[in-house]
Amino acid sequence: MLYSDKVMDHFNHPRNVGVIDDADGIGEVGNPVCGDIMKITLKIDDDKIEDIKFQTLGCGAAIATSSIVTEMARGMSLKDAVAITKKQVAEELDGLPPAKMHCSVLATDGLKVAVDDYLVKHGREPIAGEVKSADPNFDPHADEDDHDHDEA
Amino acid sequence: MLYSDKVMDHFNHPRNVGVIDDADGIGEVGNPVCGDIMKITLKIDDDKIEDIKFQTLGCGAAIATSSIVTEMARGMSLKDAVAITKKQVAEELDGLPPAKMHCSVLATDGLKVAVDDYLVKHGREPIAGEVKSADPNFDPHADEDDHDHDEA
Amino acid sequence: MDTPRRIYFDYAATTPVDQRVMDAMMPYFMEDYGNANSLYALGRDAYRALEDARERFAKGIGATHPSEITFTGCGTESDNAALLGITARKSPKGGHVIVSKFEHHAVLEPAHLLEKRGYEVTYLGPREDGIIHVEDMVVALRDDTVLVSIMHGNNEIGTIQPIKELAAAAHERGALFHTDGAQTLGKIPFDVAELGVDAASFSGHKIYGPKGVGALYLKRGTPFEPQILGGGQESKKRSGTQNVPGIVGFAKALELMLEDQAEESLRLAALREKLTNAVIERLENTEQSTTVDPAHRMPNIASLLIKGVEGEAMLLQLDNLGIAVSTGSACSSGSLEPSHVLLSIGCPPEIAHGSLRVSMGRFTTEADVDYFLEVLPPIVERLRSMSPVYDRMFGSSAR
Amino acid sequence: MDTPRRIYFDYAATTPVDQRVMDAMMPYFMEDYGNANSLYALGRDAYRALEDARERFAKGIGATHPSEITFTGCGTESDNAALLGITARKSPKGGHVIVSKFEHHAVLEPAHLLEKRGYEVTYLGPREDGIIHVEDMVVALRDDTVLVSIMHGNNEIGTIQPIKELAAAAHERGALFHTDGAQTLGKIPFDVAELGVDAASFSGHKIYGPKGVGALYLKRGTPFEPQILGGGQESKKRSGTQNVPGIVGFAKALELMLEDQAEESLRLAALREKLTNAVIERLENTEQSTTVDPAHRMPNIASLLIKGVEGEAMLLQLDNLGIAVSTGSACSSGSLEPSHVLLSIGCPPEIAHGSLRVSMGRFTTEADVDYFLEVLPPIVERLRSMSPVYDRMFGSSAR
Ligand SMILES: Cc1ncc(COP(=O)(O)O)c(C=O)c1O
Ligand SMILES: Cc1ncc(COP(=O)(O)O)c(C=O)c1O
């Protein structure tokens, strides 16, 4: 199994790591039991992604896809952002090993959840459709609500 | 599979090869279908083996066991000669590979048949007991009688 | 830094061929290249080399007779052959088999196949200490138990099973006993007579021998149905033209291991202790995967749980700095489940994902350990800082 | 004579590793020794070498995709896996299988095992010319025929089967087709696309590659149940840590074979004709084991029947003079029956015992052939003179 140079570049030098403190939208997906979890925070202005940051616990591919998706989404309209496919993410990274294709879902799902979070908070209809959000049972030390991204 | 030096010596320099023209006893055993056939001719005096010669078609072990058995039997009484066992033959050759142990039977059988041939010809009781003599069907070019050792 | 440092800490995965092993093999590639089954001089030379290697290998594991050693193509093949070959001859119509839950896949997969073929298989769990306990096996044994297969040293957590006691207890109930010795051969004492096993598997490339050669010990009289069929080589137990250089190299490699086994195992155990203790001291939320005492651990394997990081990410970061380690993370293998070994000793999956196996060997120095101890903490801290859940999951618990 | 002459005429049994193959392998023993399944740099280097070798090997046999190549531990393992693995997946409950009568034991023995497991097996005979004829196979094919396995070049008598036609006819009846290419790979054109086979087996040490490595071609989509189970290497088709040096060497060896295949096969065929014709001319009661025309013979194998002598004795006498050949005599193998190959083409046992296979290769020279022609007649004459039955059996017939 080999990662492309671009995957390794994004893994070694991930772009846009961190948390936007007063984020407009927050998405957290994945599950530590499965080994990876990702959180995306968005700053949104006029239905455009003005700023985007991520945090990821996961393998090389999980970190690289998180990083690249923040680069791809920055400046995009919300509609375009939720339309980013896992295939596009993988292509943007010059491919992913077959066993790692699922990681690119994590990144696009995180983005979708964050966008919908923003929309729902503002009383609007979600546009991204169903995605698997973070498993609420993963954190033994937290209150139930702590990691419900809708309320974080 | 390895032959001992002594086997190789007897194979490369077989002793007592040939046919005694006016033999007192003749033994032919084995079967070309099985790959080996041996003929022993004896010169007998006072129930002692005075001279012994062999001819063998067969593998290295068949030739070596034939050779050694002629050396062992020379000068022996008929009674002692027919008592030579395949184990003794193998031991005399510093051992035989397991897959080749059957070859030592060929040599002792040939000797037995030759001794009994002598005794029967002289109206005496055979002393060697049952052995498998040469298969009478092996020779497409010969008359039936040609290779019946009792009458050769 | 001119040449980047390159430190190999994955000796449990594979090892470089030792120069002396290479030297022993060399004549058999281009000069004494004969087929060991041929009758002419070149074949006899190969045969002699092969049988000499078999004799030395047999001696090295305490076998009574060289014919008890069958050379194979790898450790996996040996494990497969032991499980499938013994059951097929001893009890072809089915029966009960016991394997431990943390066997290598080379044992577990044939065990699954046996289930498909109608055998019943008990997957015996280790306790939290990472050891298969005799009492637990005794409970699992049945009158129709055909075969028990429990590995000697576990390749991930490095624990050593009490094979002698396990084998004796299995025999008491009439079961045969196989052990996978791929990890322990040459590293700690492995004597088939002392252990009392009926069968054991080994792999060349784990002990500075070549890849592509394995061995299977079958005690005389052990029922066995050959699994690779053909020309009848290896006394009909394993067909295929023998890999003479590989086999010669394997025997040489074993002899070299035995030459300094006692000192080397002490040396490595000290390095392991140093490394383990320092990591735990320097990094919060970090522990050994089992707390069993050092006497029950292989000298060369440190198994660490670095909580709140994912193993593959850690591995790749260490690799950037020239350090080769391994992890039981699912993501490193492309499967969804993390290491079945860690799960079997009760390690939760979210912790198992952050496991790190540091395995040491002949060329490991204290300087290597020091370098590792220098570079690991910043890597872990950086990855933890990138995690959305580290503080939530572990932030308060260990301070 | 100072150094005794040493002439190798048993290239069909095994070959020396070519120096260039050795050079290609060397880096992977002691430097790039990584496990190809490890994620760090050393593992990735091994992985790259492995996949590069797979690609080159695939190209060398005309495979569409590298993933169609599975590397194994030997040719025997490949043959076993093809027969057992394909049937187990395609038709696990049984069915009809066709193999030729003169297959290598690596195919015949698994065929016997299939019979034990409830499959019906037809053992298809060659005609007297030593060839499996399409018409004969067509008669044997049935609606429930799962798999046909017929070798490309026969290792004893050197005849080449019409694989393209055989495979097409098998496919017409819905059967899959496997061919054992161990003897022909690299020696005559072998292109899986051109031949149209679903599976094919190869062995490294037959083409100046190392012992202990084989390959199995499985056309994409060919049903296959892995036969060696464990860590899931080789895309789950063959578990066990890959023998990287061996595999790299195998791929290199194939490339070298292909480089001068056309010239080399002409050169060897000429030597074969010279040797065969001269032996027959100089020695009475001597013939080729088949009279098929040279176009249907492998260039490198001369198969002679020297009547009235036993093969092993002849072999050992030749060996005394430094010449290594092989024989189908039963006595050379410790079995009672002489070569099943010779019997299958109607050769009587008493003649088959005197068969001689002279197989030539890269380092064979015309001087070698001349020396052989010089020393063989006196050896044969001496052995015939020691036989109690030569004159009786053959004395009059051939004069
Ligand atoms: C305990 C154990 N058993 C079996 C094997 C399989 O050995 P190989 O990969 O040589 O087939 C290994 C190593 O991979 C191992 O660690
Ligand atoms: C036609 C044929 N098939 C299969 C094999 C088996 O190859 P190996 O001995 O490398 O397993 C051989 C050689 O022995 C052979 O000649």
Side-chain angles (χ1 to χ4, degrees):
Chain A
M1 191 207 68
L2 293 180
Y3 285 135
S4 70
D5 290 345
K6 196 143 179 202
V7 169
M8 286 310 294
D9 178 41
H10 276 268
F11 168 66
N12 286 324
H13 311 287
R15 333 296 202 243
N16 309 311
V17 175
V19 181
I20 299 171
D21 279 339
D22 53 346
D24 297 317
I26 299 179
E28 191 169 305
V29 291
N31 180 331
V33 173
C34 294
D36 43 23
I37 184 152
M38 180 208 196
K39 181 179 181 174
I40 279 199
T41 45
L42 301 176
K43 195 86 208 149
I44 291 166
D45 188 26
D46 194 18
D47 278 10
K48 267 216 163 81
I49 296 177
E50 290 291 304
D51 196 10
I52 177 167
K53 281 199 186 320
F54 83 93
Q55 282 189 318
T56 291
L57 162 66
C59 66
I63 290 173
T65 50
S66 301
S67 168
I68 195 93
V69 97
T70 61
E71 284 207 326
M72 291 165 78
R74 181 186 294 274
M76 265 189 185
S77 71
L78 298 188
K79 215 172 127 252
D80 288 349
V82 298
I84 296 174
T85 65
K86 60 175 181 171
K87 203 165 152 262
Q88 288 169 332
V89 169
E91 274 168 12
E92 195 69 23
L93 286 168
D94 298 340
L96 278 175
K100 294 295 188 174
M101 282 303 293
H102 70 277
C103 295
S104 47
V105 191
L106 192 76
T108 54
D109 280 0
L111 185 57
K112 285 175 184 165
V113 169
V115 168
D116 277 0
D117 174 54
Y118 165 79
L119 293 172
V120 169
K121 267 185 194 152
H122 289 76
R124 294 163 63 184
E125 280 292 304
I127 60 172
E130 202 61 14
V131 306
K132 258 182 78 188
S133 60
D135 183 324
N137 298 318
F138 74 85
D139 187 355
H141 306 302
D143 292 333
E144 273 238 23
D145 287 354
D146 257 0
H147 40 80
D148 182 347
H149 57 83
D150 282 342
E151 299 167 14
Chain B
M1 190 208 71
L2 292 183
Y3 285 135
S4 70
D5 290 344
K6 195 143 180 202
V7 170
M8 286 310 293
D9 178 41
H10 276 267
F11 168 66
N12 286 325
H13 311 285
R15 333 294 201 244
N16 309 311
V17 176
V19 182
I20 299 172
D21 280 337
D22 53 343
D24 297 317
I26 300 178
E28 191 168 305
V29 293
N31 180 334
V33 173
C34 295
D36 42 22
I37 184 152
M38 182 207 195
K39 179 177 181 176
I40 280 197
T41 45
L42 299 176
K43 195 87 210 150
I44 292 165
D45 188 28
D46 195 19
D47 276 10
K48 265 213 165 85
I49 295 176
E50 289 292 302
D51 196 10
I52 177 168
K53 283 199 186 321
F54 83 94
Q55 283 189 317
T56 291
L57 162 66
C59 65
I63 290 172
T65 50
S66 300
S67 168
I68 195 93
V69 97
T70 61
E71 283 206 327
M72 291 166 78
R74 182 184 294 274
M76 265 189 184
S77 71
L78 298 187
K79 216 171 125 249
D80 288 347
V82 298
I84 296 174
T85 65
K86 59 175 181 172
K87 203 164 152 264
Q88 288 168 332
V89 169
E91 275 166 11
E92 196 68 24
L93 286 168
D94 299 340
L96 277 175
K100 296 292 189 177
M101 282 303 293
H102 70 275
C103 294
S104 46
V105 192
L106 191 76
T108 53
D109 279 1
L111 185 56
K112 286 177 184 163
V113 170
V115 168
D116 277 0
D117 174 55
Y118 165 80
L119 293 172
V120 170
K121 269 186 194 152
H122 289 75
R124 296 164 60 185
E125 279 294 302
I127 59 173
E130 203 61 15
V131 305
K132 259 180 79 186
S133 60
D135 183 325
N137 298 319
F138 73 87
D139 186 354
H141 307 301
D143 291 334
E144 273 238 23
D145 287 353
D146 259 359
H147 39 81
D148 183 347
H149 58 82
D150 282 344
E151 300 169 13
Chain C
M1 219 164 30
D2 303 336
T3 345
R5 250 183 120 135
R6 208 162 131 166
I7 296 176
Y8 190 64
F9 270 142
D10 204 13
Y11 285 91
T14 194
T15 57
V17 173
D18 190 287
Q19 179 67 60
R20 295 162 292 180
V21 170
M22 201 69 225
D23 292 345
M25 294 198 290
M26 281 312 282
Y28 299 97
F29 288 111
M30 302 182 52
E31 291 137 52
D32 279 335
Y33 57 82
N35 187 318
N37 311 291
S38 299
L39 296 177
Y40 41 76
L42 199 66
R44 295 195 305 267
D45 288 350
Y47 177 85
R48 268 189 221 99
L50 177 65
E51 294 310 315
D52 177 56
R54 194 187 312 282
E55 222 174 289
R56 288 151 56 206
F57 195 95
K59 193 160 160 258
I61 64 164
T64 311
H65 198 271
S67 67
E68 295 178 323
I69 309 298
T70 301
F71 289 109
T72 67
C74 59
T76 298
E77 187 196 324
S78 298
D79 277 335
N80 278 229
L83 266 83
L84 303 176
I86 292 173
T87 53
R89 179 64 66 94
K90 187 170 181 218
S91 177
K93 305 258 176 255
H96 180 239
V97 169
I98 301 177
V99 303
S100 88
K101 275 190 183 159
F102 67 11
E103 291 299 307
H104 192 273
H105 289 291
V107 166
L108 287 177
E109 291 296 324
H112 296 331
L113 180 60
L114 285 174
E115 284 191 277
K116 273 197 222 154
R117 291 188 181 164
Y119 292 78
E120 277 184 79
V121 178
T122 298
Y123 297 91
L124 185 64
R127 295 199 186 167
E128 238 182 60
D129 57 5
I131 304 276
I132 304 290
H133 287 248
V134 179
E135 311 88 272
D136 299 340
M137 187 192 70
V138 165
V139 173
L141 279 167
R142 307 187 334 199
D143 285 339
D144 66 340
T145 306
V146 182
L147 176 67
V148 178
S149 180
I150 293 173
M151 71 201 314
H152 192 207
N154 182 281
N155 49 303
E156 280 186 48
I157 58 175
T159 54
I160 299 168
Q161 318 318 309
I163 296 301
K164 183 177 177 167
E165 292 73 21
L166 290 165
H171 288 156
E172 231 164 69
R173 286 294 290 271
L176 293 169
F177 195 93
H178 165 256
T179 191
D180 180 341
Q183 284 296 335
T184 49
L185 180 70
K187 294 170 196 159
I188 58 174
F190 190 104
D191 185 292
V192 291
E194 163 71 15
L195 295 175
V197 297
D198 303 292
S201 307
F202 311 103
S203 179
H205 69 96
K206 305 281 187 192
I207 60 166
Y208 315 94
K211 294 176 175 63
V213 61
L216 175 62
Y217 163 77
L218 285 169
K219 188 177 169 169
R220 259 195 189 186
T222 303
F224 180 73
E225 195 72 45
Q227 296 298 298
I228 296 202
L229 309 168
Q233 289 90 344
E234 296 293 292
S235 306
K236 302 207 162 60
K237 294 208 275 290
R238 200 279 194 180
S239 291
T241 302
Q242 286 101 336
N243 174 1
V244 177
I247 290 166
V248 167
F250 194 7
K252 178 72 183 176
L254 176 56
E255 285 176 343
L256 292 174
M257 291 298 286
L258 297 177
E259 260 178 25
D260 63 355
Q261 184 180 77
E263 310 88 274
E264 182 68 357
S265 71
L266 286 176
R267 186 181 78 85
L268 292 176
L271 291 178
R272 181 201 64 204
E273 288 301 295
K274 174 177 171 163
L275 184 140
T276 312
N277 293 336
V279 168
I280 293 173
E281 198 188 294
R282 292 183 200 179
L283 274 171
E284 60 171 24
N285 289 316
T286 296
E287 62 191 34
Q288 290 198 78
S289 55
T290 146
T291 53
V292 78
D293 59 294
H296 294 94
R297 294 174 189 277
M298 290 177 54
N300 60 319
I301 295 183
S303 173
L304 295 160
L305 301 174
I306 317 284
K307 296 181 192 172
V309 286
E310 193 282 327
E312 188 204 280
M314 199 163 30
L315 182 157
L316 291 173
Q317 296 279 347
L318 285 166
D319 179 47
N320 284 338
L321 299 168
I323 297 178
V325 297
S326 131
T327 167
S329 157
C331 258
S332 74
S333 62
S335 81
L336 292 171
E337 289 263 294
S339 149
H340 68 285
V341 174
L342 293 166
L343 298 182
S344 80
I345 58 169
C347 177
E350 62 271 24
I351 308 288
H353 287 298
S355 73
L356 203 65
R357 179 185 72 180
V358 180
S359 56
M360 299 177 288
R362 188 167 288 164
F363 308 109
T364 306
T365 64
E366 187 152 11
D368 295 342
V369 172
D370 291 334
Y371 179 65
F372 175 81
L373 292 173
E374 192 187 311
V375 303
L376 180 69
I379 287 173
V380 171
E381 277 152 19
R382 173 156 173 269
L383 288 172
R384 282 175 174 173
S385 78
M386 276 177 63
S387 164
V389 293
Y390 181 70
D391 282 335
R392 228 187 292 158
M393 284 177 74
F394 304 106
S396 53
S397 69
R399 271 169 211 171
Chain D
M1 226 168 22
D2 305 334
T3 345
R5 249 184 123 132
R6 210 162 128 166
I7 296 176
Y8 190 64
F9 269 141
D10 205 13
Y11 285 90
T14 193
T15 58
V17 173
D18 189 285
Q19 180 67 60
R20 294 161 292 177
V21 170
M22 202 66 225
D23 293 345
M25 294 198 291
M26 281 311 284
Y28 301 97
F29 288 112
M30 303 182 53
E31 292 138 49
D32 279 334
Y33 56 82
N35 187 317
N37 311 291
S38 300
L39 296 177
Y40 42 75
L42 199 67
R44 295 195 304 268
D45 288 349
Y47 177 84
R48 266 190 221 100
L50 178 64
E51 295 310 315
D52 178 56
R54 195 187 310 282
E55 223 174 287
R56 287 154 54 205
F57 194 94
K59 193 160 158 258
I61 64 164
T64 311
H65 198 271
S67 67
E68 296 177 323
I69 310 299
T70 301
F71 289 109
T72 67
C74 59
T76 298
E77 188 196 325
S78 299
D79 278 334
N80 278 228
L83 265 83
L84 303 176
I86 291 174
T87 53
R89 179 64 66 92
K90 186 168 181 218
S91 176
K93 304 258 175 257
H96 179 238
V97 169
I98 300 176
V99 303
S100 87
K101 272 190 184 158
F102 68 9
E103 292 299 307
H104 192 272
H105 289 292
V107 166
L108 287 177
E109 291 296 323
H112 296 331
L113 181 59
L114 285 174
E115 284 191 277
K116 272 197 223 154
R117 291 189 182 163
Y119 293 77
E120 276 183 81
V121 178
T122 298
Y123 297 90
L124 185 62
R127 297 201 184 163
E128 236 182 64
D129 58 4
I131 305 278
I132 304 290
H133 287 247
V134 179
E135 311 87 271
D136 299 340
M137 188 192 70
V138 165
V139 173
L141 280 167
R142 306 187 337 199
D143 286 338
D144 66 339
T145 305
V146 181
L147 177 67
V148 178
S149 181
I150 292 174
M151 72 201 314
H152 191 207
N154 182 280
N155 50 303
E156 281 188 46
I157 58 175
T159 53
I160 300 168
Q161 316 318 309
I163 296 301
K164 184 176 177 169
E165 293 72 23
L166 291 164
H171 288 155
E172 231 164 71
R173 288 294 291 271
L176 293 169
F177 195 92
H178 166 257
T179 191
D180 179 341
Q183 284 296 336
T184 49
L185 180 70
K187 293 170 198 160
I188 59 174
F190 192 105
D191 185 291
V192 289
E194 164 69 16
L195 295 176
V197 297
D198 303 292
S201 307
F202 311 104
S203 178
H205 69 96
K206 304 280 187 192
I207 59 166
Y208 315 94
K211 295 177 174 63
V213 62
L216 175 60
Y217 163 77
L218 286 168
K219 185 177 171 170
R220 260 198 189 182
T222 303
F224 180 73
E225 195 72 46
Q227 296 299 297
I228 297 201
L229 309 168
Q233 289 90 344
E234 296 293 291
S235 305
K236 302 204 164 62
K237 294 208 275 289
R238 201 279 192 177
S239 291
T241 302
Q242 286 100 337
N243 174 3
V244 178
I247 290 167
V248 166
F250 194 6
K252 178 71 182 176
L254 177 55
E255 286 177 343
L256 292 173
M257 292 297 287
L258 297 178
E259 261 178 27
D260 62 355
Q261 185 181 76
E263 309 88 272
E264 182 68 357
S265 71
L266 285 176
R267 187 181 77 86
L268 292 175
L271 291 179
R272 181 202 64 205
E273 289 301 295
K274 173 176 174 164
L275 184 140
T276 312
N277 293 337
V279 168
I280 293 174
E281 197 188 292
R282 292 184 201 179
L283 274 171
E284 60 171 24
N285 289 316
T286 295
E287 61 190 33
Q288 290 198 78
S289 55
T290 143
T291 54
V292 78
D293 59 296
H296 295 94
R297 294 174 188 278
M298 292 178 54
N300 61 319
I301 295 184
S303 174
L304 296 160
L305 301 174
I306 316 284
K307 297 181 190 169
V309 286
E310 195 281 328
E312 188 203 281
M314 200 164 28
L315 184 156
L316 292 172
Q317 296 279 349
L318 284 166
D319 180 48
N320 283 338
L321 298 169
I323 296 177
V325 296
S326 135
T327 166
S329 157
C331 258
S332 75
S333 62
S335 81
L336 291 172
E337 287 264 295
S339 150
H340 68 287
V341 174
L342 292 167
L343 298 182
S344 79
I345 59 169
C347 177
E350 63 272 23
I351 308 288
H353 286 298
S355 74
L356 202 65
R357 180 185 71 180
V358 181
S359 56
M360 300 178 286
R362 187 167 289 164
F363 308 109
T364 305
T365 64
E366 187 152 8
D368 295 343
V369 173
D370 290 336
Y371 180 65
F372 175 80
L373 292 174
E374 191 187 312
V375 303
L376 180 69
I379 287 173
V380 171
E381 279 152 18
R382 174 158 173 267
L383 287 172
R384 283 175 173 174
S385 78
M386 276 177 64
S387 163
V389 292
Y390 180 71
D391 282 335
R392 227 187 293 158
M393 284 177 76
F394 304 104
S396 53
S397 71
R399 270 172 211 171

